[in-house]
Structures are given as structure tokens and as C-alpha cells.
Amino acid sequence: MTDSRGQQPSYETYSGPLPGERTGAQQPGGPYHPPQAYGAPAPGGAAGVQAGGTLGGQTGAGAVRRPRTGARTTPRTRKARLRVAKADPWSVMKVSFLLSIALGICTVVAAAVLWMVMDAMGVFSTVGGTISEATGSNESNGFDLQSFLSLPRVLMFTSVIAVIDVVLMTALATLGAFIYNLSAGFVGGVELTLAEDE
């Protein structure tokens, strides 16, 4: 049997193109630059655009993307308009009770401090001596202001006023919550506009 294929090239000495390999000019060995979406316009107008298209859409060295000038840079202050539709009478009573107790304690402390300052300045002795001379007679010494306005009596009187103030403020605040709820049912309540802190 004879071989009809003729002489075959040797695989060890073959230097031609492989199957599927391009036979054209080889790519340069430089770095790869991907094409960009927008090329830099050349000074020549349309010719420059065509030249940029032939160059693969690459931008020139002097092309810089500029920021948009119409963008707002000042932040807006957000506002919300709310309406107080109802005030809970129970919560109003608790808050008003605590506030009235704090106010009563401040009243007692302020009265004690004021009495001590006036006593140290000699106000009671001077005014008391003047009143005792004006109201005194041969049989009595007159009205004694210092014994009437003593510190325990002043603190007791101030404490009674503070207790009455606690009861009245709590009752009036609770009654005011009921009245507000009734009026809010007719007119819609108080409207408030809230804004964020800048």
C-alpha cells in the first residue's frame, strides 16, 4: 500500500500560523488603552471628530471633565407641619403635679434664703423697733415684729402656700386638658411647624 498524501511538513520545524490564528499584522507590545465613550473634539470640527473616531475614541491629554454648574450645594431645611389633636389628661396631670411640687420646694427655699438675708441686714430689728415705738404705750411695748416674723412661722406659712399651689396647679392643668380636647374637636387643635436644625 502506498502513501498518496505526499510529503507532510514536520511538526518540530513548523513555524507557520496555527489554526484560528490571524495572519495579519501583529498587535504592538505597548499598554492597552480601552476606548472611551466621548472623544475630545479636535480643533478642526467634523474633521477632528473623524480623526478622533479613527483614533479609537481616545481623549487627548488636555481633556478634563468639568463639574456641572447648575447643581445646588446649599442644603434645604426640611419643615413639617403638625397638629396637636389631643392632650391626654392623665399625662398632663402627672406632669403638672411634678412641676408644681418643684415650684413649691423652690418657693420654700427662696423664702428661707430671703428671710436670712433680711435678718443679716438688720431689717427686722430696725423696722420692728419703729413699729413698736409707733404702736407702744405706757402699759405695753407695742407690736413685736421680730417674734411675729420668726423663721419657723415664715417657713410654715410658705409651706401652706406651696401645698395649696400644688393642688390648684394640678387641678387647673387637668381641667385645661379637658377643655383643650373639647375645643380641638371643633377647630382642629393647635398647628405647629417643626424644622430641622441647620
Short mmCIF file of all heavy atoms in Angstrom, two decimals, residues 13-67:
data_model
loop_
_atom_site.label_atom_id
_atom_site.label_comp_id
_atom_site.label_asym_id
_atom_site.label_seq_id
_atom_site.Cartn_x
_atom_site.Cartn_y
_atom_site.Cartn_z
N THR A 13 9.59 21.39 13.08
CA THR A 13 10.20 22.52 12.39
C THR A 13 9.17 23.47 11.80
O THR A 13 9.54 24.40 11.10
CB THR A 13 11.10 21.99 11.26
OG1 THR A 13 10.31 21.22 10.35
CG2 THR A 13 12.22 21.13 11.84
N TYR A 14 7.85 23.29 12.10
CA TYR A 14 6.80 24.13 11.51
C TYR A 14 6.72 25.45 12.27
O TYR A 14 6.65 25.46 13.50
CB TYR A 14 5.46 23.41 11.57
CG TYR A 14 4.33 24.21 10.97
CD1 TYR A 14 4.23 24.34 9.58
CD2 TYR A 14 3.40 24.83 11.78
CE1 TYR A 14 3.19 25.06 9.02
CE2 TYR A 14 2.36 25.55 11.23
CZ TYR A 14 2.26 25.66 9.84
OH TYR A 14 1.23 26.38 9.30
N SER A 15 6.77 26.57 11.53
CA SER A 15 6.70 27.91 12.13
C SER A 15 5.58 28.75 11.57
O SER A 15 5.57 29.96 11.73
CB SER A 15 8.03 28.64 11.94
OG SER A 15 8.29 28.79 10.55
N GLY A 16 4.63 28.17 10.88
CA GLY A 16 3.53 28.92 10.28
C GLY A 16 2.43 29.21 11.30
O GLY A 16 2.52 28.86 12.48
N PRO A 17 1.34 29.85 10.86
CA PRO A 17 0.24 30.18 11.78
C PRO A 17 -0.54 28.94 12.16
O PRO A 17 -0.74 28.04 11.36
CB PRO A 17 -0.61 31.16 10.97
CG PRO A 17 -0.33 30.83 9.56
CD PRO A 17 1.10 30.36 9.51
N LEU A 18 -0.98 28.94 13.39
CA LEU A 18 -1.81 27.84 13.88
C LEU A 18 -3.24 28.03 13.41
O LEU A 18 -3.64 29.13 13.03
CB LEU A 18 -1.74 27.80 15.41
CG LEU A 18 -0.36 27.51 16.01
CD1 LEU A 18 -0.43 27.60 17.51
CD2 LEU A 18 0.13 26.14 15.57
N PRO A 19 -4.06 26.99 13.46
CA PRO A 19 -5.47 27.14 13.06
C PRO A 19 -6.20 28.10 13.98
O PRO A 19 -6.13 27.98 15.20
CB PRO A 19 -6.02 25.70 13.18
CG PRO A 19 -4.82 24.83 13.08
CD PRO A 19 -3.69 25.59 13.67
N GLY A 20 -6.95 29.05 13.41
CA GLY A 20 -7.67 30.05 14.20
C GLY A 20 -6.86 31.28 14.54
O GLY A 20 -7.37 32.22 15.14
N GLU A 21 -5.60 31.34 14.19
CA GLU A 21 -4.74 32.48 14.50
C GLU A 21 -4.71 33.41 13.30
O GLU A 21 -4.68 32.96 12.15
CB GLU A 21 -3.34 32.00 14.83
CG GLU A 21 -2.43 33.13 15.32
CD GLU A 21 -1.06 32.63 15.71
OE1 GLU A 21 -0.77 31.44 15.46
OE2 GLU A 21 -0.28 33.42 16.24
N ARG A 22 -4.78 34.76 13.58
CA ARG A 22 -4.77 35.74 12.50
C ARG A 22 -3.40 35.79 11.84
O ARG A 22 -2.37 35.69 12.49
CB ARG A 22 -5.14 37.13 13.03
CG ARG A 22 -6.57 37.22 13.54
CD ARG A 22 -6.89 38.61 13.98
NE ARG A 22 -8.24 38.72 14.49
CZ ARG A 22 -8.77 39.85 14.94
NH1 ARG A 22 -8.04 40.96 14.97
NH2 ARG A 22 -10.01 39.86 15.39
N THR A 23 -3.47 35.99 10.54
CA THR A 23 -2.22 36.05 9.78
C THR A 23 -1.80 37.48 9.45
O THR A 23 -0.81 37.68 8.78
CB THR A 23 -2.39 35.26 8.47
OG1 THR A 23 -3.47 35.84 7.72
CG2 THR A 23 -2.68 33.80 8.75
N GLY A 24 -2.62 38.48 9.98
CA GLY A 24 -2.29 39.87 9.65
C GLY A 24 -1.16 40.41 10.49
O GLY A 24 -0.39 39.68 11.10
N ALA A 25 -1.15 41.73 10.58
CA ALA A 25 -0.10 42.39 11.36
C ALA A 25 -0.32 42.13 12.84
O ALA A 25 -1.45 42.15 13.32
CB ALA A 25 -0.09 43.89 11.06
N GLN A 26 0.71 41.92 13.55
CA GLN A 26 0.62 41.65 14.98
C GLN A 26 0.40 42.94 15.76
O GLN A 26 0.76 44.02 15.31
CB GLN A 26 1.91 40.96 15.45
CG GLN A 26 2.11 39.59 14.81
CD GLN A 26 3.35 38.93 15.37
OE1 GLN A 26 4.06 39.53 16.18
NE2 GLN A 26 3.60 37.70 14.91
N GLN A 27 -0.23 42.78 16.96
CA GLN A 27 -0.52 43.93 17.81
C GLN A 27 0.78 44.48 18.41
O GLN A 27 1.70 43.72 18.70
CB GLN A 27 -1.46 43.53 18.97
CG GLN A 27 -2.83 43.06 18.50
CD GLN A 27 -3.65 44.19 17.93
OE1 GLN A 27 -3.43 45.34 18.30
NE2 GLN A 27 -4.55 43.88 17.01
N PRO A 28 0.89 45.78 18.57
CA PRO A 28 2.09 46.33 19.23
C PRO A 28 2.15 45.88 20.67
O PRO A 28 1.13 45.61 21.30
CB PRO A 28 1.90 47.85 19.09
CG PRO A 28 0.44 48.04 18.91
CD PRO A 28 -0.05 46.84 18.16
N GLY A 29 3.33 45.89 21.19
CA GLY A 29 3.54 45.40 22.55
C GLY A 29 3.30 46.44 23.64
O GLY A 29 3.68 46.19 24.78
N GLY A 30 2.73 47.62 23.36
CA GLY A 30 2.52 48.66 24.36
C GLY A 30 1.32 48.36 25.26
O GLY A 30 0.61 47.37 25.08
N PRO A 31 1.04 49.23 26.27
CA PRO A 31 -0.11 49.01 27.18
C PRO A 31 -1.43 49.21 26.44
O PRO A 31 -1.54 50.01 25.51
CB PRO A 31 0.10 50.07 28.27
CG PRO A 31 0.91 51.13 27.60
CD PRO A 31 1.81 50.41 26.63
N TYR A 32 -2.44 48.53 26.90
CA TYR A 32 -3.77 48.58 26.27
C TYR A 32 -4.57 49.74 26.84
O TYR A 32 -4.67 49.90 28.06
CB TYR A 32 -4.50 47.26 26.51
CG TYR A 32 -5.92 47.28 26.00
CD1 TYR A 32 -6.18 47.25 24.63
CD2 TYR A 32 -6.98 47.35 26.89
CE1 TYR A 32 -7.48 47.27 24.17
CE2 TYR A 32 -8.28 47.37 26.43
CZ TYR A 32 -8.53 47.34 25.07
OH TYR A 32 -9.81 47.36 24.60
N HIS A 33 -5.13 50.57 25.96
CA HIS A 33 -5.97 51.70 26.36
C HIS A 33 -7.38 51.43 25.87
O HIS A 33 -7.62 51.41 24.66
CB HIS A 33 -5.45 53.02 25.77
CG HIS A 33 -4.07 53.37 26.25
ND1 HIS A 33 -3.83 53.87 27.52
CD2 HIS A 33 -2.86 53.29 25.64
CE1 HIS A 33 -2.53 54.08 27.66
NE2 HIS A 33 -1.92 53.73 26.54
N PRO A 34 -8.33 51.23 26.76
CA PRO A 34 -9.71 50.97 26.30
C PRO A 34 -10.31 52.22 25.70
O PRO A 34 -10.02 53.34 26.11
CB PRO A 34 -10.43 50.56 27.59
CG PRO A 34 -9.64 51.19 28.68
CD PRO A 34 -8.22 51.19 28.21
N PRO A 35 -11.17 52.07 24.72
CA PRO A 35 -11.82 53.26 24.11
C PRO A 35 -12.78 53.91 25.06
O PRO A 35 -13.45 53.24 25.85
CB PRO A 35 -12.54 52.67 22.89
CG PRO A 35 -12.77 51.23 23.25
CD PRO A 35 -11.58 50.82 24.08
N GLN A 36 -12.85 55.23 25.05
CA GLN A 36 -13.75 55.99 25.91
C GLN A 36 -15.00 56.35 25.14
O GLN A 36 -15.04 56.37 23.91
CB GLN A 36 -13.06 57.25 26.43
CG GLN A 36 -11.85 56.92 27.32
CD GLN A 36 -11.26 58.16 27.93
OE1 GLN A 36 -11.79 59.24 27.71
NE2 GLN A 36 -10.19 58.00 28.69
N ALA A 37 -16.06 56.67 25.94
CA ALA A 37 -17.36 56.91 25.32
C ALA A 37 -17.37 58.21 24.53
O ALA A 37 -18.01 58.32 23.49
CB ALA A 37 -18.44 56.92 26.39
N TYR A 38 -16.69 59.24 25.04
CA TYR A 38 -16.72 60.55 24.39
C TYR A 38 -15.29 60.97 24.11
O TYR A 38 -14.49 61.13 25.03
CB TYR A 38 -17.40 61.60 25.28
CG TYR A 38 -18.82 61.23 25.64
CD1 TYR A 38 -19.11 60.64 26.86
CD2 TYR A 38 -19.86 61.47 24.74
CE1 TYR A 38 -20.41 60.28 27.18
CE2 TYR A 38 -21.15 61.13 25.06
CZ TYR A 38 -21.43 60.52 26.27
OH TYR A 38 -22.71 60.18 26.58
N GLY A 39 -15.00 61.19 22.86
CA GLY A 39 -13.67 61.65 22.49
C GLY A 39 -13.58 63.15 22.57
O GLY A 39 -14.57 63.87 22.50
N ALA A 40 -12.38 63.65 22.72
CA ALA A 40 -12.18 65.09 22.78
C ALA A 40 -12.32 65.68 21.40
O ALA A 40 -11.71 65.19 20.44
CB ALA A 40 -10.79 65.39 23.34
N PRO A 41 -13.14 66.72 21.22
CA PRO A 41 -13.28 67.32 19.88
C PRO A 41 -11.99 67.98 19.45
O PRO A 41 -11.35 68.70 20.22
CB PRO A 41 -14.41 68.32 20.07
CG PRO A 41 -14.39 68.65 21.52
CD PRO A 41 -13.96 67.41 22.22
N ALA A 42 -11.63 67.72 18.23
CA ALA A 42 -10.42 68.33 17.67
C ALA A 42 -10.72 69.74 17.20
O ALA A 42 -11.87 70.12 17.00
CB ALA A 42 -9.91 67.48 16.50
N PRO A 43 -9.70 70.59 17.05
CA PRO A 43 -9.94 71.96 16.60
C PRO A 43 -10.55 72.03 15.21
O PRO A 43 -11.15 73.04 14.85
CB PRO A 43 -8.54 72.60 16.62
CG PRO A 43 -7.73 71.72 17.53
CD PRO A 43 -8.29 70.35 17.38
N GLY A 44 -10.44 71.00 14.42
CA GLY A 44 -10.92 71.05 13.05
C GLY A 44 -12.39 70.77 12.87
O GLY A 44 -12.84 70.59 11.75
N GLY A 45 -13.19 70.70 13.94
CA GLY A 45 -14.62 70.48 13.82
C GLY A 45 -14.91 69.05 13.47
O GLY A 45 -14.53 68.10 14.16
N ALA A 46 -15.63 68.84 12.33
CA ALA A 46 -16.04 67.50 11.92
C ALA A 46 -14.84 66.65 11.57
O ALA A 46 -14.81 65.44 11.82
CB ALA A 46 -16.99 67.60 10.71
N ALA A 47 -13.82 67.27 10.97
CA ALA A 47 -12.61 66.52 10.63
C ALA A 47 -11.94 66.01 11.89
O ALA A 47 -11.42 64.90 11.94
CB ALA A 47 -11.65 67.39 9.82
N GLY A 48 -11.96 66.86 12.92
CA GLY A 48 -11.38 66.43 14.18
C GLY A 48 -12.17 65.29 14.79
O GLY A 48 -11.62 64.39 15.41
N VAL A 49 -13.52 65.32 14.64
CA VAL A 49 -14.34 64.23 15.15
C VAL A 49 -14.02 62.95 14.43
O VAL A 49 -13.89 61.87 14.99
CB VAL A 49 -15.84 64.60 15.03
CG1 VAL A 49 -16.70 63.40 15.38
CG2 VAL A 49 -16.16 65.77 15.93
N GLN A 50 -13.85 63.06 13.09
CA GLN A 50 -13.50 61.87 12.32
C GLN A 50 -12.13 61.36 12.71
O GLN A 50 -11.89 60.16 12.81
CB GLN A 50 -13.53 62.19 10.83
CG GLN A 50 -14.94 62.48 10.32
CD GLN A 50 -14.94 62.84 8.85
OE1 GLN A 50 -13.88 62.88 8.22
NE2 GLN A 50 -16.12 63.11 8.31
N ALA A 51 -11.21 62.31 12.96
CA ALA A 51 -9.88 61.89 13.37
C ALA A 51 -9.94 61.20 14.72
O ALA A 51 -9.25 60.22 14.97
CB ALA A 51 -8.92 63.09 13.41
N GLY A 52 -10.78 61.76 15.63
CA GLY A 52 -10.92 61.11 16.92
C GLY A 52 -11.54 59.75 16.79
O GLY A 52 -11.22 58.82 17.51
N GLY A 53 -12.49 59.60 15.81
CA GLY A 53 -13.09 58.29 15.60
C GLY A 53 -12.09 57.30 15.07
O GLY A 53 -12.12 56.12 15.40
N THR A 54 -11.18 57.75 14.22
CA THR A 54 -10.19 56.84 13.68
C THR A 54 -9.15 56.47 14.73
O THR A 54 -8.52 55.43 14.62
CB THR A 54 -9.48 57.48 12.48
OG1 THR A 54 -8.92 58.73 12.89
CG2 THR A 54 -10.46 57.72 11.34
N LEU A 55 -9.00 57.32 15.77
CA LEU A 55 -8.03 57.02 16.80
C LEU A 55 -8.61 56.14 17.90
O LEU A 55 -8.01 55.96 18.93
CB LEU A 55 -7.50 58.32 17.44
CG LEU A 55 -6.61 59.17 16.53
CD1 LEU A 55 -6.24 60.45 17.23
CD2 LEU A 55 -5.36 58.39 16.13
N GLY A 56 -9.82 55.65 17.71
CA GLY A 56 -10.40 54.73 18.68
C GLY A 56 -11.18 55.42 19.77
O GLY A 56 -11.47 54.82 20.79
N GLY A 57 -11.54 56.72 19.62
CA GLY A 57 -12.33 57.43 20.60
C GLY A 57 -11.57 57.82 21.85
O GLY A 57 -12.16 58.09 22.88
N GLN A 58 -10.24 57.84 21.82
CA GLN A 58 -9.47 58.22 22.99
C GLN A 58 -9.40 59.73 23.10
O GLN A 58 -9.27 60.44 22.12
CB GLN A 58 -8.06 57.63 22.89
CG GLN A 58 -8.01 56.11 22.85
CD GLN A 58 -6.60 55.63 22.77
OE1 GLN A 58 -5.67 56.42 22.76
NE2 GLN A 58 -6.45 54.30 22.69
N THR A 59 -9.49 60.20 24.32
CA THR A 59 -9.43 61.65 24.58
C THR A 59 -7.99 62.10 24.59
O THR A 59 -7.07 61.32 24.87
CB THR A 59 -10.08 61.98 25.93
OG1 THR A 59 -9.42 61.24 26.94
CG2 THR A 59 -11.56 61.59 25.91
N GLY A 60 -7.81 63.41 24.33
CA GLY A 60 -6.48 63.96 24.34
C GLY A 60 -5.98 64.18 25.75
O GLY A 60 -6.68 63.99 26.74
N ALA A 61 -4.73 64.65 25.84
CA ALA A 61 -4.12 64.84 27.16
C ALA A 61 -4.74 66.01 27.89
O ALA A 61 -4.75 66.05 29.11
CB ALA A 61 -2.61 65.03 27.01
N GLY A 62 -5.25 67.02 27.16
CA GLY A 62 -5.77 68.21 27.82
C GLY A 62 -7.25 68.15 28.12
O GLY A 62 -7.81 69.14 28.59
N ALA A 63 -7.96 67.05 27.82
CA ALA A 63 -9.41 66.95 28.04
C ALA A 63 -9.67 66.67 29.51
O ALA A 63 -9.19 65.68 30.05
CB ALA A 63 -10.01 65.86 27.16
N VAL A 64 -10.42 67.54 30.19
CA VAL A 64 -10.76 67.41 31.61
C VAL A 64 -12.26 67.50 31.74
O VAL A 64 -12.88 68.40 31.18
CB VAL A 64 -10.08 68.51 32.46
CG1 VAL A 64 -10.47 68.36 33.92
CG2 VAL A 64 -8.57 68.44 32.29
N ARG A 65 -12.85 66.57 32.47
CA ARG A 65 -14.30 66.61 32.70
C ARG A 65 -14.63 67.67 33.73
O ARG A 65 -14.13 67.64 34.86
CB ARG A 65 -14.79 65.25 33.18
CG ARG A 65 -16.30 65.20 33.40
CD ARG A 65 -16.75 63.81 33.77
NE ARG A 65 -16.58 62.91 32.65
CZ ARG A 65 -16.88 61.62 32.68
NH1 ARG A 65 -17.35 61.09 33.79
NH2 ARG A 65 -16.70 60.87 31.62
N ARG A 66 -15.49 68.58 33.39
CA ARG A 66 -15.85 69.70 34.27
C ARG A 66 -17.13 69.38 35.03
O ARG A 66 -18.04 68.77 34.48
CB ARG A 66 -16.03 70.99 33.46
CG ARG A 66 -14.78 71.44 32.75
CD ARG A 66 -15.03 72.71 31.98
NE ARG A 66 -13.82 73.14 31.28
CZ ARG A 66 -13.77 74.21 30.50
NH1 ARG A 66 -14.85 74.94 30.29
NH2 ARG A 66 -12.63 74.55 29.91
N PRO A 67 -17.22 69.79 36.30
CA PRO A 67 -18.46 69.53 37.05
C PRO A 67 -19.60 70.41 36.57
O PRO A 67 -19.39 71.47 35.99
CB PRO A 67 -18.06 69.88 38.50
CG PRO A 67 -16.95 70.86 38.34
CD PRO A 67 -16.21 70.44 37.10
#
